[in-house]
Amino acid sequence: ETGVTQSPTHLIKTRGQQVTLRCSSQSGHNTVSWYQQALGQGPQFIFQYYREEENGRGNFPPRFSGLQFPNYSSELNVNALELDDSALYLCASSLEGSGRNTEAFFGQGTRLTVV
Amino acid sequence: LAKTTQPISMDSYEGQEVNITCSHNNIATNDYITWYQQFPSQGPRFIIQGYKTKVTNEVASLFIPADRKSSTLSLPRVSLSDTAVYYCLVGGKGGSQGNLIFGKGTKLSVKP
């Protein structure tokens, strides 16, 4: 158990719909990062939130957006879903800005299927 | 962030030592080397991190030569439960790991 929880665990959506995925970060962590992992591939960085501000973004279109709340939990929103958005979405929390090494703790992921 | 190259797959038997080598020729001065383990349908799990020489913890050792252009993850006496994908990553600002660049990893299969 990493202390990072994601909901829902599985989700099926129709092409064109919108989806919101949620992540509760580990206690004491202030940074949340989101990753997309297609079958057989390594996780791909979507974006990171640090103290409620976006703090880096990967090569994903604007229809992928996010939020971080004062308690450091986070949401990933995807609009206009496409079939290729089907993947495991991973959330990772870490402590940043502390001047020391921090490891990232991943949740179990949300399996999104777009049909 | 430095690109990494590691074998796509490796096979081993229970009780053997497994060494997975990763190349990172363009590693920067401030980069750390980190290894993660991932089981199917689960999030990656941190194994070990190092900057230079050797680091050891309760599950693995990490060997880093002086030029830091490669690193080797050593898993002593593997068991069937060590079958997983292992990712080598370099980067992180001052060792932080919020923005991780994953490659395809090494799929380790441990046989009885």
Side-chain angles (χ1 to χ4, degrees):
Chain A
E1 288 293 329
T2 64
V4 180
T5 57
Q6 293 186 242
S7 62
T9 55
H10 295 82
L11 197 56
I12 299 175
K13 286 287 191 177
T14 304
R15 189 172 49 182
Q17 284 188 313
Q18 178 266 342
V19 68
T20 297
L21 309 182
R22 295 178 174 83
C23 172
S24 294
S25 58
Q26 180 161 312
S27 177
H29 285 181
N30 58 10
T31 301
V32 172
S33 302
W34 286 91
Y35 295 82
Q36 180 196 65
Q37 186 173 24
L39 204 59
Q41 304 295 316
Q44 300 297 307
F45 174 70
I46 302 175
F47 45 57
Q48 177 186 87
Y49 278 84
Y50 170 68
R51 292 184 175 180
E52 303 179 57
E53 298 282 337
E54 187 176 292
N55 184 41
R57 188 178 182 93
N59 189 27
F60 281 81
R63 60 189 184 84
F64 285 78
S65 63
L67 282 173
Q68 187 178 32
F69 300 100
N71 66 356
Y72 301 126
S73 66
S74 177
E75 287 183 354
L76 164 65
N77 300 291
V78 187
N79 294 322
L81 283 167
E82 301 176 359
L83 297 179
D84 286 349
D85 295 333
S86 296
L88 181 68
Y89 287 85
L90 296 161
C91 162
S93 81
S94 58
L95 178 62
E96 306 289 326
S98 60
R100 63 176 182 89
N101 295 359
T102 61
E103 61 191 76
F105 292 84
F106 284 82
Q108 296 281 74
T110 294
R111 173 71 64 187
L112 172 65
T113 302
V114 182
V115 298
Chain B
L1 294 170
K3 181 180 176 182
T4 60
T5 303
Q6 52 184 122
I8 296 296
S9 64
M10 292 183 69
D11 292 332
S12 182
Y13 290 93
E14 281 191 292
Q16 288 188 332
E17 177 185 76
V18 171
N19 296 306
I20 307 175
T21 297
C22 177
S23 297
H24 28 79
N25 291 319
N26 297 321
I27 189 168
T29 303
N30 293 332
D31 285 341
Y32 284 72
I33 299 157
T34 311
W35 287 79
Y36 278 81
Q37 175 194 56
Q38 187 178 28
F39 299 111
S41 297
Q42 292 188 24
R45 184 175 71 102
F46 173 88
I47 301 175
I48 197 165
Q49 183 187 67
Y51 184 79
K52 61 181 179 180
T53 62
K54 176 184 175 182
V55 179
T56 298
N57 62 22
E58 63 275 9
V59 297
S61 295
L62 178 59
F63 298 92
I64 306 168
D67 66 4
R68 303 199 328 121
K69 293 183 182 299
S70 67
S71 60
T72 299
L73 174 72
S74 181
L75 304 172
R77 298 180 298 281
V78 294
S79 64
L80 296 176
S81 63
D82 292 317
T83 294
V85 178
Y86 292 82
Y87 294 98
C88 163
L89 300 92
V90 297
K93 300 175 223 177
S96 65
Q97 303 176 46
N99 173 358
L100 302 172
I101 307 298
F102 289 82
K104 293 189 176 182
T106 297
K107 186 174 183 179
L108 173 65
S109 298
V110 180
K111 303 174 183 178

